[in-house]
Amino acid sequence: MALNPNSILLRRLHQANLVDPQITAKLLQEKSHQYQTIADLLIGEKLIQAKALAEAAAAFTLHSALDLDFFDINAIPDPLRNEKLIRKHHILPLAKRHKSLFLAVVDPTDMTSVEDFEFNTGLNAEMIVVEFDKLHKAIDKLFDTTATDSFTDTQWDLAKMGLAGGEEEDIRTVGSDSEDQPIISFINKMLHDAIRKGASDLHFEPYEKTYRIRFRIDGILHEVASPPAALSTRLSARLKVMSRLDIAEKRVPQDGRIKLKLSQKKSIDFRVSTLPTLWGEKIVMRILDSDSAMLGIDVLGYEPEQKQLYLDALAQPQGMILVTGPTGSGKTVSLYTGLNILNTEETNISTAEDPVEINLPGINQVQVNPRAGLTFPSALKAFLRQDPDVIMVGEIRDLETAEIAIKAAQTGHLVLSTLHTNSAPETLTRLLNMGVPAYNVASSVTLIIAQRLARRLCNHCKAAEQIPEQEALKQGFTTSQLSQLKLFKPVGCDHCTGGYKGRLGIYEVMPITAQIAAKIMAGANSLDIAAQAQTEGFPNLRQSALKKAAAGLTSLAEVNRVTNA
């Protein structure tokens, strides 16, 4: 489903003077990548109210209208609940009568989407116009299996958990699935809810008198459930059984994995880490969705100039590309995206990772195992005897790894790796501080990408935010930006979490130009290199983030959060 600038609905709205043609033309040119449909654009940019749009669409097309607030979505027959099709087109099948399928739609002129339903069901579609926001709310409610905030709300009582006496059960009694079905059902519900909500991590945390489950959504932790503390051991035991860990060992940390099959073609991996704490084992699960590794470079949030710099570096036969940033800043996705671009039949790619998060077909991935003697340096040495074209090192942690990686980059190989630094210029000084000679750094590193992930504002509820010009200048906006500066702030609605939905990348992309290489050779510090990058027109993280805020993609508060201003 793509945004159609020639939409019949849009043309009729222009003719009725309900929407300004010049404004929509400008938005279509600037923000077509942010929205899926014309209705999405009109509502998201607050050009028309949802109710007014529904009334106009029904009047234009002579279709019936329906207020979904008075429709029982539980009455929708199960055969019509095709979640993939419904979410793809944002159309909700309401009922089937004889050979007719009644569809709740926002834009009855969008026949392509309607024909998709007809093709999949073999029925003739009858359209009923509904309000945009109520349709999204109904769809989410139809497929909402979220556990509520407490066991009381979801009627999970202690008797059903097999703990009628309220006492903690010994771990040795937790065994087969049949013995612990309520616990199994609850854990499965948590895992599915985390996937549906787009969480990146799940935290299962025991305390003296409470137990807390939190999801990290868009980089922020949110509490989603608080089961009785007496269930701590049974919950951790179930998770350890699923992860193939030793349930009797509670004194030391353990690491494992879970593969959750969602359908015949779709499965999700979880990386599981246990940690003994004062009141039990805390378990953190990282969701490893292979789809995130298959994202195209166009959706990661690079500015056009930054994207071209990355592509140019990937096209080089040798050299080193370094991606930097704190944990959870999206470095892995950036690296995997680059590897997917390079992954062709003619290219031999090997990676050394700790851990291997996502399986990439066609790429030779090695799991580092220090206990067995398989370290980053030993893996790199082995790669160089395997006729490689491209090498990816999960992280450069020490001088030995850095020296081997640089040697590979200087001898006809393209090397990709990560470092934990705050900015691109600081990455160079970090390598120098490790003991890598300046001439090796200057001659081998071709590109450095520093990045962060910022929460994306919800298009359904974001509101305009006014700040004084002096404050805008203090924040870092330029005088040329002030005349057209339009900022937004989060509000919060049924479509988002606290006014934000999803995340976008913020990048500092710095190629090692001849001038920057000269600075490195002259012993310049990170401030000198940063100044040279500014002189050559490469925006830093703060400037890139402010550009995202000026485009209405994120808020100034979020910019300040991720760039430490």
Side-chain angles (χ1 to χ4, degrees):
M1 180 174 57
L3 194 150
N4 179 15
N6 299 314
S7 163
I8 297 172
L9 177 62
L10 182 60
R11 190 162 64 247
R12 297 296 296 273
L13 291 170
H14 288 164
Q15 293 170 351
N17 294 321
L18 293 174
V19 176
D20 190 318
Q22 294 182 340
I23 293 177
T24 52
K26 182 180 179 182
L27 289 172
L28 281 168
Q29 185 177 9
E30 295 177 353
K31 301 192 175 185
S32 60
H33 63 286
Q34 296 180 34
Y35 299 97
Q36 292 181 293
T37 65
I38 287 296
D40 198 12
L41 173 72
L42 297 176
I43 301 296
E45 295 298 323
K46 299 187 179 353
L47 298 184
I48 190 171
Q49 295 296 318
K51 186 176 182 180
L53 178 62
E55 291 173 350
F60 295 155
T61 59
L62 302 180
H63 283 97
S64 300
L66 172 70
D67 187 342
L68 284 176
D69 284 344
F70 297 97
F71 180 81
D72 182 11
I73 64 169
N74 294 319
I76 297 175
D78 287 340
L80 300 182
R81 302 187 183 199
N82 185 333
E83 183 173 5
K84 182 178 180 181
L85 196 62
I86 290 170
R87 291 197 183 277
K88 176 183 177 183
H89 296 296
H90 299 293
I91 289 177
L92 183 62
L94 300 176
K96 172 189 171 185
R97 188 173 301 160
H98 303 301
K99 292 187 177 181
S100 295
L101 177 66
F102 294 89
L103 299 177
V105 303
V106 173
D107 182 1
T109 68
D110 181 12
M111 294 306 300
T112 302
S113 298
V114 172
E115 287 169 358
D116 202 358
F117 276 88
E118 290 181 328
F119 176 80
N120 277 273
T121 62
L123 302 172
N124 297 319
E126 296 284 345
M127 288 178 282
I128 300 174
V129 181
V130 297
E131 293 175 38
F132 180 88
D133 51 352
K134 292 181 180 180
L135 175 61
H136 281 261
K137 184 178 179 180
I139 292 173
D140 288 339
K141 185 177 180 181
L142 180 65
F143 299 108
D144 186 7
T145 58
T146 308
T148 51
D149 289 344
S150 71
F151 272 52
T152 302
D153 293 336
T154 53
Q155 298 179 349
W156 286 79
D157 57 45
L158 290 176
K160 287 183 180 179
M161 289 294 184
L163 292 174
E167 296 180 358
E168 187 173 2
E169 185 164 309
D170 189 88
I171 193 169
R172 289 170 293 183
T173 67
V174 181
S176 67
D177 290 355
S178 60
E179 294 174 351
D180 239 350
Q181 192 57 49
I183 293 287
I184 294 168
S185 299
F186 178 72
I187 292 293
N188 289 343
K189 173 174 273 203
M190 288 291 100
L191 300 187
H192 281 89
D193 288 349
I195 294 168
R196 187 185 58 78
K197 288 188 170 186
S200 61
D201 302 86
L202 299 82
H203 291 238
F204 293 81
E205 304 168 310
Y207 298 97
E208 181 180 10
K209 296 181 179 179
T210 60
Y211 193 95
R212 180 171 67 177
I213 299 175
R214 294 188 290 175
F215 294 169
R216 188 177 293 279
I217 302 172
D218 298 335
I220 304 296
L221 284 169
H222 301 272
E223 183 172 342
V224 296
S226 181
L231 297 176
S232 170
T233 301
R234 298 182 68 177
L235 290 169
S236 63
R238 174 58 191 166
L239 290 169
K240 289 166 74 174
V241 167
M242 295 174 70
S243 310
R244 304 292 191 271
L245 300 177
D246 183 357
I247 64 171
E249 178 57 77
K250 298 187 289 183
R251 299 165 298 174
V252 297
Q254 297 185 68
D255 294 306
R257 290 175 82 97
I258 296 173
K259 181 180 284 291
L260 183 65
K261 192 171 184 179
L262 302 179
S263 65
Q264 289 185 344
K265 296 183 178 179
K266 176 71 172 177
S267 61
I268 298 286
D269 286 340
F270 295 81
R271 190 179 77 214
V272 182
S273 172
T274 73
L275 179 69
T277 68
L278 187 61
W279 303 108
E281 289 180 283
K282 173 176 178 177
I283 297 179
V284 176
M285 308 175 70
R286 167 66 57 89
I287 298 178
L288 307 174
D289 187 358
S290 58
D291 287 348
S292 66
M294 302 303 173
L295 293 173
I297 192 171
D298 292 325
V299 302
L300 295 185
Y302 286 95
E303 298 296 332
E305 302 83 4
Q306 295 177 331
K307 182 183 81 170
Q308 194 57 50
L309 288 171
Y310 191 16
L311 292 175
D312 289 344
L314 290 170
Q316 298 298 314
Q318 66 181 48
M320 180 182 288
I321 300 172
L322 295 173
V323 182
T324 78
T327 301
S329 60
K331 300 188 297 296
T332 300
V333 172
S334 286
L335 283 176
Y336 281 179
T337 300
L339 290 178
N340 278 319
I341 293 171
L342 297 168
N343 189 12
T344 63
E345 183 181 347
E346 299 83 15
T347 307
N348 178 23
I349 304 175
S350 296
T351 73
E353 305 173 58
D354 185 20
V356 175
E357 294 195 356
I358 297 172
N359 177 39
L360 299 175
I363 294 176
N364 308 292
Q365 296 174 272
V366 174
Q367 169 70 57
V368 171
N369 186 357
R371 291 182 180 179
L374 182 56
T375 61
F376 280 125
S378 63
L380 278 173
K381 290 175 183 176
F383 290 166
L384 294 175
R385 298 191 292 270
Q386 292 270 317
D387 185 31
D389 297 302
V390 178
I391 295 171
M392 195 270 272
V393 187
E395 183 184 350
I396 295 178
R397 298 174 177 173
D398 50 50
L399 178 58
E400 185 181 7
T401 306
E403 287 179 336
I404 300 171
I406 284 174
K407 179 183 177 182
Q410 292 173 333
T411 54
H413 308 95
L414 183 62
V415 179
L416 290 79
S417 189
T418 71
L419 275 163
H420 287 281
T421 58
N422 292 323
S423 68
E426 289 178 33
T427 304
L428 296 169
T429 54
R430 172 73 182 278
L431 289 172
L432 295 172
N433 290 339
M434 279 185 182
V436 180
Y439 62 84
N440 277 342
V441 174
S443 63
S444 60
V445 180
T446 56
L447 184 76
I448 302 174
I449 301 172
Q451 67 180 79
R452 302 289 188 276
L453 288 177
R455 288 179 292 172
R456 185 189 292 270
L457 282 168
C458 173
N459 288 321
H460 297 284
C461 65
K462 65 181 181 181
E465 179 181 28
Q466 301 293 332
I467 65 171
E469 287 191 1
Q470 289 300 318
E471 178 62 22
L473 292 171
K474 182 180 178 182
Q475 291 290 339
F477 291 105
T478 62
T479 51
S480 61
Q481 291 176 301
L482 293 181
S483 59
Q484 296 182 331
L485 185 61
K486 189 176 181 181
L487 299 176
F488 292 87
K489 62 183 178 180
V491 176
C493 67
D494 293 335
H495 302 282
C496 64
T497 304
Y500 297 97
K501 186 172 184 179
R503 290 191 286 180
L504 72 158
I506 294 172
Y507 303 93
E508 176 184 17
V509 181
M510 188 183 79
I512 306 304
T513 63
Q515 293 81 3
I516 292 177
K519 291 278 186 182
I520 297 170
M521 294 294 292
N525 59 32
S526 60
L527 294 176
D528 296 329
I529 296 170
Q532 180 61 40
Q534 289 285 293
T535 301
E536 297 186 45
F538 304 123
N540 58 31
L541 275 170
R542 177 73 180 177
Q543 292 164 337
S544 296
L546 290 173
K547 192 170 183 178
K548 294 288 194 297
L553 299 176
T554 190
S555 66
L556 186 56
E558 184 68 2
V559 167
N560 289 333
R561 184 183 74 86
V562 299
T563 59
N564 301 317

